[in-house]
Amino acid sequence: MVVQAWNHVTARGDTLPLRNFLARFQPAAPTRVLFLAHWDTRPMSDNDTYRGDKARPVPGANDGASGVAVLLGMADALKARAPGIGVDLLFVDGEDFGDFAKEPNDVLIGSRHYARNQPEGPRPQWAVLFDMIGDRDLQVKQEGNSLLAAGDVVKRVWDVAKLLGYDSVFVNKPGLTITDDHVELQKAGIKAIDVVDFDYGPGHAWWHTPEDTLGKVSDRSLQVIGDVGMALIRLQKPQP
Ligand SMILES: [Zn+2]
C-alpha cells in the first residue's frame, strides 16, 4: 500500500491535507492495469435548490463511495486469487472539492497529484475510473473524453460487459462528455476511461445534494461493475 500525503492550497487560500491510497498487486509486473475511484465527498450540497441545505456535505453514497465499494470488493477478490498481471487500485482524494467551472485546480486534485507523482516502474496499459455507478437504474453510456482519448479501452470494457451479459447496463451508445479524474490521467499519457452514470435520481435531482444516501445505492449495480472489473483483469493477457 502506497500513501501519498500532501497539502493543497485552494484558490480561496485554505490548506487541505489530502491523501491518495494505492493498493498494488504485483508491483513489478510489466503488464499492469489501474482502477480508480474518488474517496472524498463534496463538502457542500450546492445543487440542493429546494431544501436550502447547501452548506451540508454531500453524503456521497453514490458520488464517491460506490466506486470505492467496488474497488474494495475487487481488492478482496485479488487477495483471494492473485492476478496474472499487475493491478493498481487507486483511491484519490479531492475530486469533488471546488467549483468545476471556476476553480479547476480545486477539483480532481488527487488524480492530478497521482498523475504527476506516479510510482517507479512499469506504467499501466490502461485505466478505468468508476464514479457514480451505484444507483438502482444503472445505465452506463460511453463517456465523451473516454471515447476521444481511449476508444480502444472503451471497446474492451464494453465487450467484456457484453460477454458477461451486462449489455443492458453498459449501453453501446455515446453519452455525455464529463470532466472527471480520468482526464488528469490522460494528460499524463495514461489511456484512462470513465465508467460513470451521470443520471442520478429523477431529473438527476440527487446529484450534489443531501439526497445522495445509501438507500439510493443498489448492491446489484455494484456487483455488475465489480464483475466487469474482475473479468477485465482475468482476461488481460500478460505481454510477451
Ligand atoms: Zn461529485
Side-chain angles (χ1 to χ4, degrees):
M1 169 76 78
V2 177
V3 181
Q4 296 182 322
W6 75 103
N7 287 328
H8 173 81
V9 180
T10 68
R12 297 173 203 189
D14 294 323
T15 298
L16 310 177
L18 299 181
R19 270 175 175 62
N20 288 339
F21 300 94
L22 180 66
R24 312 204 76 198
F25 295 83
Q26 323 257 32
T31 303
R32 50 192 319 103
V33 298
L34 171 71
F35 292 86
L36 70 154
H38 72 94
W39 72 271
D40 65 306
T41 61
R42 194 160 181 78
M44 67 276 186
S45 294
D46 38 340
N47 276 0
D48 186 20
T49 47
Y50 56 97
R51 285 212 311 205
D53 237 354
K54 288 182 198 266
R56 240 171 96 186
V58 174
N62 191 31
D63 192 358
S66 64
V68 170
V70 168
L71 260 50
L72 291 175
M74 289 173 67
D76 280 345
L78 292 167
K79 237 181 138 176
R81 199 182 127 212
I85 56 167
V87 178
D88 291 317
L89 304 179
L90 171 64
F91 303 81
V92 291
D93 204 350
E95 186 267 351
D96 222 349
F97 183 82
D99 184 322
F100 276 78
K102 294 181 200 147
E103 300 163 347
N105 285 327
D106 294 344
V107 296
L108 317 176
I109 309 166
S111 52
R112 191 176 312 118
H113 184 84
Y114 176 83
R116 292 173 182 174
N117 299 277
Q118 292 180 57
E120 297 282 315
R123 297 283 170 96
Q125 261 73 48
W126 45 260
V128 176
L129 165 63
F130 294 140
D131 198 6
M132 302 180 67
I133 40 69
D135 74 359
R136 276 190 295 268
D137 60 344
L138 186 62
Q139 292 271 288
V140 183
K141 292 182 185 145
Q142 299 172 341
E143 186 276 330
N145 287 318
S146 308
L147 285 169
L148 207 61
D152 55 330
V153 182
V154 172
K155 183 175 181 336
R156 177 189 291 269
V157 172
W158 261 253
D159 283 353
V160 165
K162 192 176 161 75
L163 198 68
L164 297 178
Y166 294 148
D167 37 335
S168 62
V169 173
F170 282 76
V171 183
N172 199 7
K173 279 185 196 161
L176 298 170
T177 295
I178 297 172
T179 302
D180 206 343
D181 286 314
H182 64 315
V183 173
E184 294 297 335
L185 299 194
Q186 288 176 354
K187 286 181 192 164
I190 299 173
K191 282 197 188 188
I193 73 160
D194 193 3
V195 169
V196 61
D197 176 4
F198 204 65
D199 180 12
Y200 185 32
H204 200 41
W206 297 336
W207 181 58
H208 288 180
T209 75
E211 301 296 323
D212 184 1
T213 52
L214 198 55
K216 315 294 195 312
V217 174
S218 144
D219 54 353
R220 159 83 187 159
S221 296
L222 301 180
Q223 184 75 51
V224 167
I225 298 297
D227 285 350
V228 170
M230 288 311 300
L232 282 163
I233 293 169
R234 303 292 188 206
L235 291 170
Q236 171 76 52
K237 294 200 173 57
Q239 286 171 332

